[in-house]
Amino acid sequence: MNEYDSSRIFDLVKTIGFDKTDIKKNADCYILNTCHIRDKAKEKVYHEIGRIKKEFKNTIKPLIIVAGCVAQAESEEMLKREPYIDMVIGPQSYHKINDQILNYFRDNKKINDTEFDVISKFDKLAKIKNNSNKISSYLTIQEGCDKFCHFCVVPYTRGPEFSRPFYQILNEAKELISNGVKEITLLGQNVNAYKFFSDDKKNEYDLADLIMELEKIKNLKRIRFTTSHPKDMNEKLINCYNNSTKLMPFLHLPVQSGSDKILKSMNRKHNIQFYENILKKLKNINPEIEISSDFIIGYPGETDEDFNKTLKLVKKFSFINSYSFIFSPRPGTPASNLKQIDYKIAHQRLKIIQNELFEIQIERNKALEGYELEVLVENKIKDQKKFFGRIPKMTPVIINSSSCNPGEIIKVKIVSSNQNSLFGEHIIAKTKAA
Ligand code: SAM
Ligand code: SF4
């Protein structure tokens, strides 16, 4: 979502004359769009500011703006801890960035704008063209969360669940497609909780409606969505994996733990039986579908037995491309007050689970060697006769080709693989001799 937000922040500041630069020293302004989900992400922001300080030691200081969830959570604290920062602006206030930049230059005073103003944010953004022309682009449809998992800061930093108007999303999708975008990933912290009522309250639209409406747009080739909560995976949405030809057979569905005891303590609102039933229904609808997941390791109270249940779940479902993290206590969340488990033990468990996940990934990728797969070409790799693309199940492919174009779906013969990627040759269809 930060990638989408950063791209929209750029669309905004472009209208008051800013442009992007790759040459760091030339920047008049730095906007650091930040993540607060784990402590490491927060500390990265301060390290980056340290680097900028060094870079500009003997020259005029650039304007430093911190946006995103760290800005939201730390707000005034951040301005005090790092006086080099000129402005903090939260994820629900960034539509006001131009006014705030002008205010800063007029009054020469530090700015803290961390209000929750989600409705006017999307109303304002709807008037600013989305210039993204990446073959695969993100589109935020829902923000915030009402689920309050005990480990998570999102409900505090992004605020309550909010779904954008149905037709506003379709308009932005059409704008992206007219820019050349071929794949859209619908975004939300709880994307499958998307629900929008028409003004007269007669019509209710959900994520499945949105997918089936996007399906009708001719030049759009692929649809994805992320991140989903198991509790909101309803039958109508599951059926889209059968009804839509453009929805890709891949779903990221975070489970967090294989232990019902831990899921309860996390306030996840689902148990393993419930989660497994969803996977079964998905496989029944489309046996091709692949699942990836998120795992939190070393959550307070996690015993060897709980951890082994997570390991068992990983082995049973052979997840692809999963993410696993050591529990990071986030200030203000209920889990931060619980007794933490020994870091060494958590670290050992993380290693074990990652070894298992990586082995599965390696095996799954190896099994694709020799096959001809459809790949959406996203971009040319700089200074090489190679292109980057993805198969429907999301795995990245490095393609040897002298004649393909970004935006095309081509056939690629997979010749080798590693843990993260496939490598293949572009198969050029032979035309019959006249
Ligand atoms: N809404 C999605 C769900 O509930 O399934 C997940 C979105 S959350 C923003 C992304 C991931 O960050 C979570 O699935 C979780 O694994 C991880 N995460 C969130 N808080 C964390 C914490 N305190 N420590 C470690 N990982 C965390
Ligand atoms: Fe965070 Fe997802 Fe739980 Fe919401 S449902 S609190 S975003 S982990």
Side-chain angles (χ1 to χ4, degrees):
M1 188 167 283
N2 271 10
E3 201 175 315
Y4 174 84
D5 288 344
S6 299
S7 155
R8 297 302 273 148
I9 289 173
F10 176 62
D11 289 337
L12 285 160
V13 295
K14 203 170 156 48
T15 63
I16 55 165
F18 283 93
D19 211 342
K20 284 182 194 167
T21 176
D22 288 334
I23 308 161
K24 285 193 173 185
K25 269 195 179 148
N26 284 356
D28 303 304
C29 171
Y30 272 79
I31 303 175
L32 292 106
N33 197 11
T34 61
C35 174
H36 199 242
I37 202 82
R38 285 176 297 279
D39 204 39
K40 245 189 190 167
K42 184 183 100 183
E43 287 310 316
K44 269 191 191 168
V45 184
Y46 289 107
H47 288 151
E48 185 58 30
I49 292 172
R51 272 196 290 271
I52 301 171
K53 258 178 166 172
K54 262 193 203 154
E55 182 110 33
F56 286 83
K57 202 172 166 201
N58 300 316
T59 165
I60 299 170
K61 173 190 178 309
L63 175 67
I64 304 287
I65 302 176
V66 180
C69 290
V70 177
Q72 185 67 41
E74 305 262 300
S75 64
E76 209 58 41
E77 274 304 301
M78 202 159 205
L79 293 173
K80 277 191 208 136
R81 173 170 164 183
E82 182 46 270
Y84 204 69
I85 300 170
D86 301 302
M87 187 189 306
V88 288
I89 192 157
Q92 306 308 8
S93 308
Y94 74 72
H95 56 294
K96 292 182 269 171
I97 194 162
N98 289 349
D99 288 342
Q100 295 295 27
I101 290 174
L102 300 176
N103 288 341
Y104 176 81
F105 283 122
R106 191 192 55 218
D107 303 336
N108 198 19
K109 256 168 78 187
K110 289 190 187 286
I111 286 177
N112 172 4
D113 189 346
T114 43
E115 283 161 28
F116 283 132
D117 202 359
V118 71
I119 298 176
S120 64
K121 176 174 92 173
F122 284 113
D123 285 349
K124 164 87 185 182
L125 289 178
K127 295 187 189 104
I128 303 284
K129 187 176 185 310
N130 187 328
N131 290 305
S132 172
N133 59 0
K134 281 173 118 182
I135 297 301
S136 176
S137 283
Y138 290 126
L139 172 44
T140 294
I141 65 163
Q142 180 278 344
E143 266 201 66
C145 183
D146 295 337
K147 296 212 165 43
F148 289 93
C149 297
H150 283 172
F151 52 81
C152 184
V153 285
V154 166
Y156 311 95
T157 54
R158 290 262 174 186
E161 260 170 37
F162 171 81
S163 293
R164 291 182 68 188
F166 191 70
Y167 288 99
Q168 197 184 78
I169 297 167
L170 290 176
N171 284 343
E172 192 171 329
K174 284 175 192 160
E175 201 165 82
L176 289 172
I177 295 158
S178 72
N179 295 346
V181 170
K182 302 291 178 200
E183 174 178 277
I184 290 182
T185 302
L186 303 172
L187 287 185
Q189 271 84 34
N190 261 305
V191 72
N192 54 345
Y194 177 82
K195 204 160 275 316
F196 182 75
F197 292 93
S198 60
D199 286 344
D200 57 11
K201 303 273 178 265
K202 281 189 185 148
N203 295 314
E204 182 190 320
Y205 302 99
D206 59 16
L207 177 58
D209 296 321
L210 205 43
I211 291 167
M212 295 317 294
E213 207 53 39
L214 288 173
E215 170 91 11
K216 295 178 195 161
I217 306 178
K218 193 169 153 252
N219 288 332
L220 180 64
K221 294 184 177 169
R222 289 179 170 184
I223 305 167
R224 303 181 188 275
F225 59 89
T226 200
T227 300
S228 300
H229 188 284
K231 197 85 185 116
D232 296 312
M233 275 316 291
N234 58 35
E235 303 277 334
K236 189 173 163 194
L237 184 55
I238 292 174
N239 283 329
C240 283
Y241 285 97
N242 185 33
N243 300 338
S244 162
T245 55
K246 295 183 180 175
L247 181 62
M248 293 294 103
F250 170 83
L251 176 67
H252 183 62
L253 194 63
V255 63
Q256 316 298 357
S257 169
S259 154
D260 281 344
K261 181 193 96 188
I262 295 294
L263 290 179
K264 194 154 189 269
S265 158
M266 286 176 167
N267 192 31
R268 277 295 285 180
K269 302 180 174 73
H270 64 83
N271 58 21
I272 292 302
Q273 178 79 54
F274 184 87
Y275 185 83
E276 289 195 0
N277 276 344
I278 298 170
L279 300 201
K280 274 184 205 142
K281 282 184 198 165
L282 284 162
K283 291 271 181 194
N284 277 342
I285 282 279
N286 181 353
E288 288 291 299
I289 200 162
E290 294 283 4
I291 311 292
S292 77
S293 198
D294 288 346
F295 298 92
I296 295 182
I297 304 302
Y299 188 77
E302 184 190 75
T303 60
D304 280 341
E305 196 188 341
D306 296 316
F307 173 68
N308 285 334
K309 286 181 181 168
T310 307
L311 205 52
K312 207 170 132 199
L313 190 81
V314 166
K315 287 180 181 164
K316 184 167 175 186
F317 286 103
S318 191
F319 296 98
I320 57 167
N321 300 332
S322 290
Y323 300 95
S324 43
F325 320 94
I326 291 186
F327 168 68
S328 168
R330 309 312 296 126
T333 60
S336 65
N337 300 322
L338 300 175
K339 188 170 179 287
Q340 308 299 308
I341 76 161
D342 185 83
Y343 185 79
K344 256 195 191 157
I345 295 177
H347 200 74
Q348 274 167 2
R349 288 180 186 161
L350 184 75
K351 257 188 151 173
I352 296 171
I353 202 115
Q354 289 193 334
N355 278 345
E356 190 61 41
L357 288 166
F358 296 162
E359 250 176 54
I360 294 170
Q361 255 175 258
I362 291 169
E363 258 174 47
R364 303 298 301 276
N365 286 350
K366 192 136 194 76
L368 295 175
E369 289 177 15
Y371 281 89
E372 288 177 14
L373 303 176
E374 285 198 336
V375 176
L376 172 63
V377 182
E378 292 187 24
N379 55 277
K380 186 176 180 308
I381 298 173
K382 213 174 160 196
D383 302 330
Q384 292 184 43
K385 274 194 183 151
K386 289 193 171 94
F387 290 80
F388 174 88
R390 285 182 192 272
I391 63 172
K393 294 174 185 179
M394 195 75 178
T395 318
V397 191
I398 310 299
I399 316 150
N400 253 332
S401 175
S402 49
S403 66
C404 71
N405 295 306
E408 279 179 343
I409 293 185
I410 59 166
K411 283 237 157 153
V412 175
K413 177 152 184 167
I414 306 301
V415 291
S416 64
S417 65
N418 63 22
Q419 185 191 310
N420 297 316
S421 306
L422 304 169
F423 301 86
E425 299 288 338
H426 179 189
I427 301 168
I428 300 165
K430 288 191 185 90
T431 47
K432 279 188 188 158

